[in-house]
Amino acid sequence: MTTSIKSTALKLLPGFGGFLAIWLLSLLGDSARFPLLMAPFGASCVIAFALSQSPLAQPRSIVGGHALSTLVGLCALFAFGDHAWSMALAVGAAITLMQLTRTLHPPAGADPLVVMTTGASWGFLFTPVLIGSIVLVLVAYGYHRAAKASYPAKWW
């Protein structure tokens, strides 16, 4: 295989990983009859599959970032309602708390907005957020093992 073809093939692999993760989350959610998908998981796939060695792609950041940001969004929604200022406050607080807890994950910055614009309930923290992000990390782990790549750099 020429270097150019090999290079192109390697660039296609992260896309397959993202496809696999979202497809499995969708199938598992359908069979379990509860949602395991939310839009920010698409962006998490970019980081988990294309930038797997980044601190932002590690399980602590993916699971912790999504959980913390969703919790912030839920607290803000139930304390203040869904206003422009409360959405802004929730996103800012989520960013700050992710930095302080070393769980920074950029796609999770959207979680408070998802929570507040959909009027999510407290159950949203568990499904799709916690279970979905854990499944996403497990798919990334399996994918990178099959590709003979090292992931994660550290679990926690």
Side-chain angles (χ1 to χ4, degrees), residues 104-125:
L104 191 62
H105 186 65
D111 295 357
L113 299 176
V114 171
V115 165
M116 296 178 86
T117 59
T118 64
S121 69
W122 288 99
F124 190 81
L125 180 59

Side-chain angles (χ1 to χ4, degrees), residues 12-55:
L12 296 176
L13 289 177
F16 177 72
F19 163 83
L20 186 63
I22 298 301
W23 183 55
L24 286 173
L25 283 168
S26 181
L27 289 177
L28 289 171
D30 287 349
S31 67
R33 300 202 194 294
F34 54 77
L36 288 178
L37 284 176
M38 62 176 185
F41 285 167
S44 293
C45 285
V46 174
I47 295 172
F49 295 100
L51 301 168
S52 62
Q53 295 307 301
S54 166

Side-chain angles (χ1 to χ4, degrees), residues 15 50 56 59-60 63 91 109 121 129 135 140 153:
L56 307 173
R60 175 188 182 107
V63 176
V91 169
S121 69
V129 176
V135 169

Side-chain angles (χ1 to χ4, degrees), residues 82-107:
D82 64 335
H83 309 285
W85 67 268
S86 59
M87 288 187 220
L89 176 67
V91 169
I95 292 167
T96 300
L97 289 173
M98 283 191 288
Q99 284 189 302
L100 290 172
T101 59
R102 298 180 304 125
T103 58
L104 191 62
H105 186 65

